[in-house]
Amino acid sequence: MGDPSVSLPEGLLFGLGNPLLDITAAVDAEFLKKYHMNANDAILGGEHQKTLSQDMIDKYQKSVEYSAGGSCLNSSRIAQWHLPTPNVITNTGCIGDDEFGRILQEKAREAGVNVQLRVDEKEPTGSCAVLVTDKHR
């Protein structure tokens, strides 16, 4: 954490990006195989991965962790983590009117980031599935 004697105003820094809900879970090799993936893959989900996130949540619900993600929001969370005052960083972008969007906002606020997100009623919130197998992700 930063120096608590330093006082910074809320909203001093501003980020605009594409917020994503990061969904992380420890999975088995069969799960990777089902979705045509290998350990250490970094892919843009396609036709084979359309149901991956919900399937991961359903099957591995005890190990699922959520975090506010996307490059801009990740940077905002890390910067805010170093600051003694919450809401020094305001982050904006667009999410869907859905459960993933609500979780993303909650996780960003827990990290001390002031999120001011546009909610789109037609498009879903973007997500990133992080599948951990052994020491691979």
Side-chain angles (χ1 to χ4, degrees), residues 40-123:
N40 290 327
D41 271 356
I43 66 164
L44 181 60
E47 201 58 38
H48 293 295
Q49 293 82 28
K50 283 193 179 218
T51 61
L52 185 148
S53 292
Q54 192 59 54
D55 191 19
M56 182 172 72
I57 292 165
D58 293 343
K59 185 171 182 176
Y60 299 101
Q61 59 188 224
K62 291 183 180 178
S63 71
V64 170
E65 294 180 17
Y66 299 100
S67 57
S71 60
C72 184
L73 189 47
N74 282 337
S75 298
S76 296
R77 286 187 312 114
I78 296 303
Q80 183 63 63
W81 181 60
H82 290 283
L83 300 170
T85 309
N87 298 319
V88 171
I89 303 187
T90 297
N91 194 280
T92 192
C94 187
I95 59 172
D97 186 14
D98 53 27
E99 187 64 18
F100 283 2
R102 287 183 278 286
I103 295 169
L104 186 148
Q105 288 186 83
E106 174 187 325
K107 294 300 179 181
R109 289 184 177 124
E110 284 176 7
V113 177
N114 176 22
V115 284
Q116 299 295 320
L117 303 170
R118 179 181 177 274
V119 178
D120 187 306
E121 295 179 6
K122 295 178 184 169
E123 296 296 326

